[in-house]
Amino acid sequence: MASAQLDVDHELKIQSTIHDLYGKRHALSNNNSQPNTVESPHQSMPVRDVPHPKPVNPPQAAPIVQFKPSPFYKQISEVLQPSCITNSKSKMAHSKNFTFLLTHHQREVLCKDRVQVQSMIRQSPKNHTQIQLRFCKLETSCEQPDALPPHLTVKVNNVSVVLPNFIPPTKAGMEPRRPNRPLNITNLCRHSSSGQNTLEVRYSSSDHEEYCVTVNVVKQLFAEDLLQKLKSQPVLSAATTRYRIKEKLKRDLDSDVSTTNLKLSLRCPLGKMRILTPIRGCKCTHIQCFDALLYIRMNERKPTWSCPVCDKLAEFTSLVIDGLFIEILNESDSDEIDFTDDGNWNSSKNVTETLIVGTPIKPIALDLSRTALKIKPASEKKRSEPDVIDLTCDSSDDDSPIEVASSNQNSGSENVLDDITMSVSSSAAHDKLAKTFGHSVAIPNI
C-alpha cells in the first residue's frame, strides 16, 4: 500500500510539472502572436491596449528681434523686451497694451543722473540717462533699424507721447512720414518701486507690416563723446595711404592715358573749412578725407551716415582716422596738395586773379573838325536822313538867319552839331524862299 501511494504521488508531481511547462510554453506563443493578452499557467485574462500619450511640444517662444545699436545711445539695461504689437484680429488697425516696472538698479541710475542734471545749472548735461522707447519692423534675419509705424499714437500712463514732426514729402502723392528715431519717455514713467507703468500703442497700416516695441534704460552720448571715442581707436598708418595713392597713380602700360598726379583738398566738403580730424570710411575707395566732428554732428541731427564724397554708407563703426593727412595738416598751410606717383606730396600753388576796383579810364580824344564829322565808320550802314529846314520863324524877322538842324546827331559826341549853322546860297533856294514868304529873304554869308 505504501509503495502504491508513492507511485501515485510521483505521477501527480510529474503531471503537475508537465502542466506547468505546457502553460509556460502556451503563454509564450500567445505573447508572440497576440501581444495584447497575457495568459498564466492556470488562467489567462485578456488585457486591453492602452494608448501611450504623445509627447507634447513646448510652446514656441516669440521671435527675438535685435535692434540695431545707435552710436549716440549706450544701453544700460532692458525694461521691456522686444514685443510684437500686431493684432491678428484686424488687418489694418492694431493696438496693444503693455506693463513694465523699473528695477532697483534702474531707479538708482536714473535718480543719480537726475541729481547731476540739477546741479548743472544752464549747462547741457553729458551722458544723460533716459528711458527710451524704440520701434522697428518684425524681422529676425538681421539687426533692424528704428522704424516708426504709420499713424502711430503712444500713451504712457494715459499721457500721450510727443512724436517727431512730419517730414515734408519729396514727391507729389507721397504720404508724409515721421523721422525714425527713439522716443524719450523718462518724464512720463513712474520711478517708484510700487509704481507700475502702462504702455498703450496704436497704429494703422495698409501694407500689412508687423512692428515691435521695446523699452530700455540708455545713456545718451554727444558728438564730442563720439569724437573722443574715435580718437582712442587705432589710426590708419601713413604707409597704407601712400600705397593706395601709388596704386591709383600706377601707370598702365596698355593704356595711352595715365595720371601722374593727384590733387586733394584740405578743406572739408561739408563745411568748406579746414579739416581738423581727417576721417574716411573703410569701404570708401577715394583718398579724400572729411572732418570728423562736422560729420558726426550732421548725423546727430539727421542720421543718414552717408559719405559726403562718394555717398556710400559710412557708419560710425567703419570710420578711421588717416595718419598721412594728419602729417600733411601739421606741415602744410595750403588748402590743396598734389600727390605724385611715388607717394610724395607738394603744396599746390593757388593762382588767383586780382581785380583793382576804381581804376581810372583813359579819356578818348574827339576830333570835332568838319573833316572828322563827315567820316563815318564802315559798320554804320544806316541811311542818313535829310536835313530839316525850320520855317516856323516869324516873317517879320527879316534879318535873322535861317538855322538848319540836322536830325542825324551823334549822341556819343554830346550833340556837337547843335551850335553849327548852315547857310543857303544857291539862287534856287533864294527863289523858293521868296515865293514862300512873298518877299526877298536876306541870307547872310558865313
Side-chain angles (χ1 to χ4, degrees):
M1 292 292 295
S3 61
Q5 186 66 29
L6 291 173
D7 293 339
V8 173
D9 294 338
H10 182 68
E11 186 179 356
L12 291 174
K13 186 181 292 186
I14 293 173
Q15 290 180 4
S16 177
T17 303
I18 293 171
H19 182 74
D20 293 339
L21 293 174
Y22 178 79
K24 291 180 180 180
R25 185 177 180 181
H26 184 69
L28 291 174
S29 62
N30 289 340
N31 289 335
N32 294 331
S33 60
Q34 297 178 1
N36 296 334
T37 59
V38 178
E39 187 173 318
S40 64
H42 302 282
Q43 185 178 5
S44 61
M45 297 180 62
V47 180
R48 295 183 179 179
D49 187 10
V50 180
H52 296 283
K54 296 181 180 181
V56 180
N57 297 328
Q60 297 181 355
I64 300 176
V65 179
Q66 294 182 356
F67 281 79
K68 190 174 184 179
S70 175
F72 296 102
Y73 299 99
K74 180 181 179 181
Q75 183 173 345
I76 298 177
S77 61
E78 186 180 77
V79 179
L80 177 65
Q81 64 179 0
S83 305
C84 181
I85 57 177
T86 303
N87 189 0
S88 59
K89 296 181 181 179
S90 177
K91 295 182 178 180
M92 295 183 61
H94 307 278
S95 63
K96 204 166 186 180
N97 298 335
F98 304 92
T99 58
F100 59 91
L101 185 65
L102 299 178
T103 62
H104 176 72
H105 174 68
Q106 295 169 354
R107 294 193 304 269
E108 185 179 3
V109 171
L110 293 170
C111 182
K112 181 179 179 181
D113 183 77
R114 184 181 299 179
V115 172
Q116 292 179 356
V117 172
Q118 292 177 356
S119 62
M120 301 174 64
I121 302 176
R122 297 182 181 180
Q123 294 182 6
S124 59
K126 299 297 182 181
N127 301 330
H128 180 58
T129 307
Q130 60 183 237
I131 303 175
Q132 190 180 83
L133 180 67
R134 299 183 67 180
F135 294 89
C136 76
K137 294 184 178 180
L138 182 59
E139 181 63 39
T140 59
S141 59
C142 59
E143 293 181 345
Q144 295 299 312
D146 291 272
L148 294 181
H151 309 286
L152 176 67
T153 57
V154 184
K155 289 184 178 181
V156 177
N157 298 324
N158 297 326
V159 180
S160 299
V161 178
V162 179
L163 302 177
N165 297 327
F166 285 99
I167 301 177
T170 56
K171 296 181 181 179
M174 290 183 59
E175 185 179 358
R177 299 184 67 91
R178 301 182 187 273
N180 298 319
R181 61 181 60 178
L183 306 177
N184 185 6
I185 59 173
T186 309
N187 297 331
L188 302 180
C189 296
R190 300 186 181 100
H191 298 180
S192 60
S193 59
S194 60
Q196 190 175 10
N197 298 279
T198 60
L199 174 63
E200 181 182 354
V201 181
R202 296 177 182 271
Y203 79 97
S204 60
S205 176
S206 59
D207 53 2
H208 307 291
E209 288 284 352
E210 297 182 354
Y211 292 86
C212 283
V213 62
T214 184
V215 180
N216 301 314
V217 176
V218 298
K219 182 179 294 184
Q220 185 179 3
L221 302 178
F222 297 87
E224 292 77 8
D225 302 327
L226 297 183
L227 180 61
Q228 296 299 326
K229 184 178 179 180
L230 188 62
K231 289 182 177 180
S232 63
Q233 298 177 359
V235 180
L236 184 65
S237 63
T240 304
T241 307
R242 285 194 178 94
Y243 176 78
R244 293 181 59 181
I245 294 173
K246 291 179 182 180
E247 290 295 324
K248 281 184 172 293
L249 299 179
K250 187 177 181 180
R251 296 185 180 182
D252 190 0
L253 300 178
D254 299 335
S255 179
D256 297 335
V257 180
S258 61
T259 306
T260 58
N261 62 345
L262 179 65
K263 180 176 291 187
L264 298 177
S265 176
L266 297 181
R267 288 182 174 271
C268 179
L270 293 173
K272 304 301 179 183
M273 300 176 63
R274 189 175 176 86
I275 300 175
L276 299 179
T277 307
I279 60 172
R280 183 175 55 249
C282 294
K283 298 181 181 179
C284 298
T285 58
H286 54 81
I287 310 296
Q288 180 65 49
C289 294
F290 45 92
D291 188 71
L293 187 59
L294 291 177
Y295 182 69
I296 295 174
R297 284 179 176 175
M298 181 188 70
N299 288 276
E300 186 178 9
R301 298 178 180 178
K302 186 179 180 181
T304 57
W305 299 107
S306 177
C307 176
V309 179
C310 62
D311 292 335
K312 290 184 179 180
L313 184 63
E315 297 180 342
F316 178 77
T317 55
S318 65
L319 298 178
V320 63
I321 300 177
D322 196 319
L324 180 59
F325 267 75
I326 293 179
E327 296 179 2
I328 297 173
L329 289 170
N330 295 332
E331 297 178 6
S332 176
D333 295 334
S334 178
D335 293 337
E336 291 183 351
I337 53 175
D338 294 330
F339 283 98
T340 56
D341 54 359
D342 56 355
N344 297 325
W345 61 274
N346 298 316
S347 298
S348 178
K349 296 181 180 180
N350 299 328
V351 180
T352 58
E353 296 182 358
T354 304
L355 176 62
I356 302 176
V357 181
T359 305
I361 302 176
K362 185 178 180 180
I364 302 175
L366 297 177
D367 189 1
L368 301 180
S369 61
R370 291 186 178 183
T371 305
L373 293 174
K374 292 179 181 179
I375 299 175
K376 295 183 179 180
S379 61
E380 185 178 358
K381 296 183 180 181
K382 294 182 180 180
R383 186 175 180 181
S384 61
E385 298 180 1
D387 297 338
V388 179
I389 301 175
D390 187 6
L391 301 179
T392 59
C393 59
D394 192 2
S395 60
S396 61
D397 300 332
D398 297 336
D399 297 335
S400 62
I402 300 176
E403 296 181 357
V404 180
S406 176
S407 62
N408 283 337
Q409 298 177 356
N410 189 2
S411 60
S413 60
E414 296 180 354
N415 300 327
V416 295
L417 297 180
D418 292 343
D419 298 331
I420 300 177
T421 57
M422 301 179 65
S423 62
V424 182
S425 58
S426 62
S427 59
H430 184 276
D431 296 339
K432 186 176 181 179
L433 293 175
K435 291 180 181 181
T436 303
F437 292 96
H439 54 86
S440 61
V441 179
I443 302 176
N445 296 325
I446 301 176

